[in-house]
Amino acid sequence: SAGPEWISDLTGMANISQRDKWQELFNTLRGRFLLMAAVVLALLLALAWTMHLRVTEVSSDSAGNVLDRHAVYLQTRDMGNELWQANELLQDFLRQPGNDTRRHYLDILSRLQRDAQALADNTWIQRSAVMQDEARGLRDDLKQLDAQTRHLMDVRTTPERMFPAMPIMTAQMM
């Protein structure tokens, strides 16, 4: 008689629907704890995935910033060297005017203007309003320097412009 009860218990368990099994599982303390643990685990996984995406985005932005800053550093260093070279060439030209010195100076100045424009177009510079203003100011100052040094070179190579009283002196001496 014990055997048939046991078998009837098994067949009774088989008649319990799947939904009733889940309902019975979550009506126990252990079931509720497992449900909450599963919810917390799902939230943690979602949070970890979201943070992974954010960290990946920020680290790629940081790497881009480092590359942009390094490019700006190299460009400004090269521009400083070219400015020094241009200064030396201008002094040489003023001591002894020559077409080669003039051409070399103007080539350097045009490179400086292109570099200043490239500097103003750099993404790292464009993110800061202060740095944009500085880059635009540098570009404008180089344009003004170009115009003024061209005028200075023209005056230095034309005796009548360098010494405006020369025609008066030659007329009186003759």
Side-chain angles (χ1 to χ4, degrees), residues 2 10 24 32 36 38 49 53 65-66 68 73 77 79 81-83 86 93 99 117-118 126 128-129 139 155 164-165:
L10 282 179
E24 187 176 315
R32 288 180 185 156
M36 290 309 295
W49 181 70
L53 291 177
N65 282 339
V66 168
D68 287 342
Y73 166 74
R77 184 189 66 190
M79 288 176 73
N81 291 340
E82 287 178 340
L83 277 172
F93 180 83
N99 285 336
Q117 182 60 46
Q126 289 179 350
S128 168
R139 187 184 59 218
V155 167

Side-chain angles (χ1 to χ4, degrees):
S1 78
E5 287 177 22
W6 180 74
I7 292 176
S8 67
D9 284 343
L10 282 179
T11 55
M13 291 285 277
N15 291 335
I16 298 177
S17 70
Q18 190 69 18
R19 192 181 97 186
D20 291 339
K21 286 181 185 178
W22 284 110
Q23 192 174 21
E24 187 176 315
L25 176 68
F26 293 130
N27 281 337
T28 64
L29 185 59
R30 181 183 298 164
R32 288 180 185 156
F33 178 77
L34 286 174
L35 177 65
M36 290 309 295
V39 168
V40 168
L41 181 63
L43 287 174
L44 283 176
L45 286 174
L47 182 64
W49 181 70
T50 304
M51 288 298 109
H52 169 71
L53 291 177
R54 182 69 180 138
V55 165
T56 302
E57 178 186 341
V58 168
S59 64
S60 67
D61 285 349
S62 177
N65 282 339
V66 168
L67 292 175
D68 287 342
R69 278 190 315 219
H70 187 67
V72 167
Y73 166 74
L74 291 177
Q75 196 166 18
T76 54
R77 184 189 66 190
D78 291 345
M79 288 176 73
N81 291 340
E82 287 178 340
L83 277 172
W84 178 82
Q85 190 178 11
N87 183 32
E88 294 296 316
L89 284 169
L90 183 60
Q91 290 177 18
D92 288 346
F93 180 83
L94 293 176
R95 278 192 299 270
Q96 184 176 7
N99 285 336
D100 291 338
T101 309
R102 179 184 188 134
R103 193 175 330 105
H104 194 182
Y105 175 83
L106 293 175
D107 287 345
I108 288 175
L109 208 55
S110 68
R111 268 198 321 264
L112 280 168
Q113 288 176 344
R114 281 193 309 269
D115 289 346
Q117 182 60 46
L119 191 66
D121 293 339
N122 186 291
T123 56
W124 189 66
I125 297 289
Q126 289 179 350
R127 290 182 187 154
S128 168
V130 173
M131 293 184 82
Q132 278 182 347
D133 291 342
E134 291 290 327
R136 273 190 240 119
L138 176 64
R139 187 184 59 218
D140 295 343
D141 289 346
L142 285 171
K143 284 180 185 175
Q144 187 177 7
L145 177 66
D146 183 39
Q148 290 177 357
T149 54
R150 284 178 189 272
H151 176 71
L152 179 64
M153 288 178 167
D154 288 341
V155 167
R156 180 66 176 100
T157 55
T158 311
E160 290 81 22
R161 291 186 73 190
M162 188 162 174
F163 305 107
M166 186 180 265
I168 298 169
M169 288 177 45
T170 55
Q172 285 183 357
M173 292 178 84
M174 300 237 167

